[in-house]
Amino acid sequence: SLSDPPHTAAEFTLTERPEGRPMVGRVDRGDRARALVPSRYRVLRMLGAGGTGFLFDAEDNVLGRPVAIKIVDRLDAPEPLLREARFAASLRHPNVVAVYEVDPAARILVMELVAGNDLETVAEGGPLVPQRVVEIGRALASALGAAHARGMLHRDVKPANVLLAED
């Protein structure tokens, strides 16, 4: 899950699978993970691993802003990543993470970095006060409502995928 302890980006590198498809894998040493990411971004650390790949904390060197970079490993084709990016980019909503860039061939998605934790991690800390549960429910319903109004389905709504911003 994305709540795993952070790792340095240097622990990951591009390797080849037997069938010739690229993947991101753990290595003892090496710094080739940065080769996956366009040079305008500086990878700072790995935030965690999810169902489709790895998520990194990075900085956009051109605009001077923090970003999250998702490097997708578990797709047979780049189309699902492009579809995900188009889906998120087409929604302008305060409760939907902004997409800044996508490279389907390299399997990279650059997004807004949300400072905070996912709902799963927060819930593990103990019960939330009822008012906070209502706030989270309303925000989630609003974001999903905006997506559904455009004919889109998320298909993976779960506490680990609900980010709660610190503010």
Side-chain angles (χ1 to χ4, degrees):
S1 83
L2 297 181
S3 60
D4 292 339
H7 302 282
T8 63
E11 293 178 305
F12 296 83
T13 187
L14 181 68
T15 59
E16 288 293 322
R17 290 186 175 160
E19 60 271 74
R21 290 187 296 126
M23 65 175 266
V24 177
R26 193 173 195 127
V27 294
D28 293 335
R29 297 187 124 196
D31 198 293
R32 294 186 303 160
R34 289 180 177 92
L36 294 171
V37 178
S39 62
R40 80 177 271 174
Y41 302 104
R42 182 169 59 99
V43 175
L44 303 174
R45 66 188 178 111
M46 187 175 142
L47 296 172
T52 59
F54 303 95
L55 187 66
F56 293 89
D57 177 2
E59 182 176 332
D60 182 333
N61 295 318
V62 174
L63 298 176
R65 65 179 170 189
V67 296
I69 298 179
K70 182 178 185 179
I71 300 177
V72 179
D73 174 41
R74 297 173 184 98
L75 291 177
D76 292 329
E79 289 80 19
L81 178 62
L82 185 57
R83 204 170 30 250
E84 176 185 346
R86 285 181 177 157
F87 164 78
S90 70
L91 291 174
R92 297 193 186 262
H93 191 278
N95 300 318
V96 175
V97 173
V99 172
Y100 301 141
E101 183 177 356
V102 63
D103 183 343
R107 299 167 192 249
I108 294 170
L109 183 63
V110 181
M111 306 168 285
E112 168 187 12
L113 180 65
V114 176
N117 283 308
D118 61 75
L119 180 56
E120 181 176 64
T121 301
V122 171
E124 288 171 356
L128 298 171
V129 297
Q131 181 59 33
R132 183 67 176 134
V133 173
V134 170
E135 291 169 0
I136 293 168
R138 284 185 177 153
L140 182 58
S142 178
L144 291 173
H148 293 176
R150 297 184 52 100
M152 302 173 191
L153 298 176
H154 187 287
R155 297 179 191 216
D156 197 21
V157 178
K158 59 185 178 185
N161 289 341
V162 176
L163 299 175
L164 303 177
E166 290 175 351
D167 57 0

